[in-house]
Amino acid sequence: LAQDAFDASSAYIDTNWRKDWEFSIKSFRLEHAPGSKYLSEEYKARSHLVSPKTRSIIRKNEAAGAVALFSNMDVVNLEAGNPDDVMSLASRDAMKAVLEYRLGKTIPTFEICIGGIQDAQTQGVVCSYQYWDYLKAKDGRTLKDKPCIELRPIENIRIDGGASWLDPVGTSPYFADIIPMYVCDVRAMMVNKDDKTGAPKWKKYGDAEILKAKPDAMDTTRKARLGKQQDPHLESTEIKSFDVVWVMRWFIKDSQGEDQVFYTLGIDALLTEPQPIEEVYFHGRRPYELGYAILETHKVMKTSVPMLVRPIQLESTDLRNQ
């Protein structure tokens, strides 16, 4: 099921959205997109500057977002559901104190918000993963215990194109997150035992199986984002502790319409057995959200700002270079 879902979603992305993402990211980075005439041999010795029009639009919107979200001293503003109820007022004050602490101390709120605005404009959509980071030492001490919000690269997300545009994450028959992990961390998960069951958290595999999960080619969207920098996920062919492999977190609906959660090593090996989502996440929902900057009905993936202003961007670039 995971292999079929991965192949279908990857083909959908490559056919419909990959080139748009590459152009959008290149425009934001003030670089020419693949296929541009300025990258041809005929233009090698000619002026090939890139107009900063797209980046300036996105940066201005980021500044407007920063003013809208962070112009007050308080991070959130809460009101009691029943102003005449003492308990409702006390509940508001307690919730406000918790949110102010979490959003001001344990969650990098400014970076998450402005980064989300940037992703939503540059790529059309922004994806975030919400989870609770909890880690206990062998001696029983609590090392980590905090809520987390993580922005995920859109090229690492796999979702069905026929999902509802109002709730794409919840209505898609499958949802996958491709996570780059160090080999040493993967091996640790294969050895560390679960507190509830006492069994290893992940199934154990040898180097031959782990090698299959290494990225064999550089993702073109990630390449556009990195520019001329080396892809940190690509290393030599021999397995080393600090090499990167792909681990995939899957949410797939079974024959009863219930979500099953499991991890795979690449798309070739199961790391965990499928479990009902309620056993993994107490709220019973997929802990992901897809947001956007421009509303477009009946489309899971929205059009990015660089694609909307593409004609103006190309015309401005041509005039500047002429």
Side-chain angles (χ1 to χ4, degrees), residues 30 79 81 113 175 180 190 243-244 261 275 301 313 315:
L30 302 182
E79 294 183 3
C113 290
F175 187 94
M190 294 177 179
D243 285 350
V244 173
V261 183
Q275 293 178 285
M301 299 292 183
Q313 169 75 37
E315 181 185 41

mmCIF file of all heavy atoms in Angstrom, residues 30 79 81 113 175 180 190 243-244 261 275 301 313 315:
data_model
loop_
_atom_site.group_PDB
_atom_site.id
_atom_site.type_symbol
_atom_site.label_atom_id
_atom_site.label_comp_id
_atom_site.label_asym_id
_atom_site.label_seq_id
_atom_site.Cartn_x
_atom_site.Cartn_y
_atom_site.Cartn_z
ATOM 1 N N LEU A 30 16.318 34.677 -6.586
ATOM 2 C CA LEU A 30 16.884 35.564 -7.619
ATOM 3 C C LEU A 30 17.799 34.785 -8.555
ATOM 4 O O LEU A 30 18.910 35.211 -8.888
ATOM 5 C CB LEU A 30 17.643 36.733 -6.970
ATOM 6 C CG LEU A 30 16.838 37.621 -6.020
ATOM 7 C CD1 LEU A 30 17.686 38.756 -5.491
ATOM 8 C CD2 LEU A 30 15.599 38.168 -6.715
ATOM 9 N N GLU A 79 -10.591 35.585 25.243
ATOM 10 C CA GLU A 79 -11.785 36.076 25.917
ATOM 11 C C GLU A 79 -12.526 34.901 26.523
ATOM 12 O O GLU A 79 -12.551 33.810 25.956
ATOM 13 C CB GLU A 79 -12.695 36.825 24.937
ATOM 14 C CG GLU A 79 -12.094 38.111 24.396
ATOM 15 C CD GLU A 79 -13.061 38.852 23.484
ATOM 16 O OE1 GLU A 79 -14.204 38.370 23.335
ATOM 17 O OE2 GLU A 79 -12.667 39.896 22.932
ATOM 18 N N GLY A 81 -15.562 32.498 27.509
ATOM 19 C CA GLY A 81 -16.808 32.147 26.835
ATOM 20 C C GLY A 81 -18.015 32.747 27.520
ATOM 21 O O GLY A 81 -18.968 33.176 26.873
ATOM 22 N N CYS A 113 5.988 31.344 12.268
ATOM 23 C CA CYS A 113 4.953 32.136 11.602
ATOM 24 C C CYS A 113 5.471 32.772 10.309
ATOM 25 O O CYS A 113 4.842 32.663 9.251
ATOM 26 C CB CYS A 113 4.424 33.219 12.541
ATOM 27 S SG CYS A 113 3.444 32.575 13.908
ATOM 28 N N PHE A 175 -1.506 9.680 3.619
ATOM 29 C CA PHE A 175 -0.670 10.860 3.855
ATOM 30 C C PHE A 175 0.697 10.367 4.316
ATOM 31 O O PHE A 175 0.776 9.490 5.181
ATOM 32 C CB PHE A 175 -1.288 11.774 4.920
ATOM 33 C CG PHE A 175 -0.574 13.088 5.085
ATOM 34 C CD1 PHE A 175 -0.986 14.209 4.405
ATOM 35 C CD2 PHE A 175 0.538 13.206 5.932
ATOM 36 C CE1 PHE A 175 -0.327 15.426 4.554
ATOM 37 C CE2 PHE A 175 1.198 14.404 6.083
ATOM 38 C CZ PHE A 175 0.762 15.521 5.390
ATOM 39 N N PRO A 180 14.260 12.863 6.614
ATOM 40 C CA PRO A 180 15.673 12.488 6.569
ATOM 41 C C PRO A 180 16.203 12.225 7.975
ATOM 42 O O PRO A 180 16.032 13.060 8.873
ATOM 43 C CB PRO A 180 16.344 13.714 5.934
ATOM 44 C CG PRO A 180 15.432 14.860 6.251
ATOM 45 C CD PRO A 180 14.045 14.295 6.336
ATOM 46 N N MET A 190 16.121 1.193 16.511
ATOM 47 C CA MET A 190 16.000 -0.262 16.364
ATOM 48 C C MET A 190 16.427 -1.004 17.629
ATOM 49 O O MET A 190 16.111 -2.177 17.802
ATOM 50 C CB MET A 190 16.848 -0.741 15.178
ATOM 51 C CG MET A 190 16.381 -0.258 13.827
ATOM 52 S SD MET A 190 17.470 -0.802 12.492
ATOM 53 C CE MET A 190 16.652 -0.105 11.052
ATOM 54 N N ASP A 243 25.538 9.225 7.763
ATOM 55 C CA ASP A 243 24.840 9.298 6.493
ATOM 56 C C ASP A 243 23.356 9.484 6.740
ATOM 57 O O ASP A 243 22.843 9.197 7.823
ATOM 58 C CB ASP A 243 25.073 8.028 5.672
ATOM 59 C CG ASP A 243 26.475 8.001 5.053
ATOM 60 O OD1 ASP A 243 27.150 9.034 5.116
ATOM 61 O OD2 ASP A 243 26.870 6.952 4.528
ATOM 62 N N VAL A 244 22.659 9.952 5.717
ATOM 63 C CA VAL A 244 21.224 10.225 5.830
ATOM 64 C C VAL A 244 20.444 9.203 5.014
ATOM 65 O O VAL A 244 20.799 8.888 3.889
ATOM 66 C CB VAL A 244 20.903 11.654 5.343
ATOM 67 C CG1 VAL A 244 19.400 11.889 5.300
ATOM 68 C CG2 VAL A 244 21.556 12.681 6.254
ATOM 69 N N VAL A 261 -1.322 3.936 11.338
ATOM 70 C CA VAL A 261 -0.066 4.687 11.355
ATOM 71 C C VAL A 261 1.091 3.707 11.413
ATOM 72 O O VAL A 261 1.074 2.753 12.200
ATOM 73 C CB VAL A 261 -0.009 5.634 12.573
ATOM 74 C CG1 VAL A 261 1.279 6.461 12.542
ATOM 75 C CG2 VAL A 261 -1.224 6.538 12.606
ATOM 76 N N GLN A 275 -0.631 0.621 13.332
ATOM 77 C CA GLN A 275 -1.393 0.794 14.565
ATOM 78 C C GLN A 275 -2.530 1.781 14.344
ATOM 79 O O GLN A 275 -2.379 2.735 13.565
ATOM 80 C CB GLN A 275 -0.504 1.331 15.690
ATOM 81 C CG GLN A 275 0.568 0.384 16.184
ATOM 82 C CD GLN A 275 1.413 1.031 17.268
ATOM 83 O OE1 GLN A 275 2.257 1.880 17.009
ATOM 84 N NE2 GLN A 275 1.164 0.645 18.511
ATOM 85 N N MET A 301 -3.434 21.746 -3.953
ATOM 86 C CA MET A 301 -2.227 22.558 -4.033
ATOM 87 C C MET A 301 -2.568 23.893 -4.670
ATOM 88 O O MET A 301 -3.125 23.929 -5.776
ATOM 89 C CB MET A 301 -1.144 21.844 -4.847
ATOM 90 C CG MET A 301 -0.699 20.520 -4.253
ATOM 91 S SD MET A 301 0.187 20.735 -2.699
ATOM 92 C CE MET A 301 0.632 19.026 -2.343
ATOM 93 N N GLN A 313 7.447 39.129 -13.932
ATOM 94 C CA GLN A 313 8.822 38.830 -13.546
ATOM 95 C C GLN A 313 9.704 38.638 -14.781
ATOM 96 O O GLN A 313 10.795 39.214 -14.879
ATOM 97 C CB GLN A 313 8.846 37.564 -12.679
ATOM 98 C CG GLN A 313 10.226 36.974 -12.427
ATOM 99 C CD GLN A 313 11.035 37.769 -11.426
ATOM 100 O OE1 GLN A 313 10.483 38.278 -10.477
ATOM 101 N NE2 GLN A 313 12.334 37.883 -11.657
ATOM 102 N N GLU A 315 9.117 39.659 -17.909
ATOM 103 C CA GLU A 315 9.216 40.892 -18.664
ATOM 104 C C GLU A 315 10.188 41.863 -18.002
ATOM 105 O O GLU A 315 11.019 42.494 -18.683
ATOM 106 C CB GLU A 315 7.841 41.530 -18.787
ATOM 107 C CG GLU A 315 7.835 42.834 -19.588
ATOM 108 C CD GLU A 315 6.488 43.500 -19.581
ATOM 109 O OE1 GLU A 315 5.851 43.508 -18.509
ATOM 110 O OE2 GLU A 315 6.074 44.042 -20.636
#
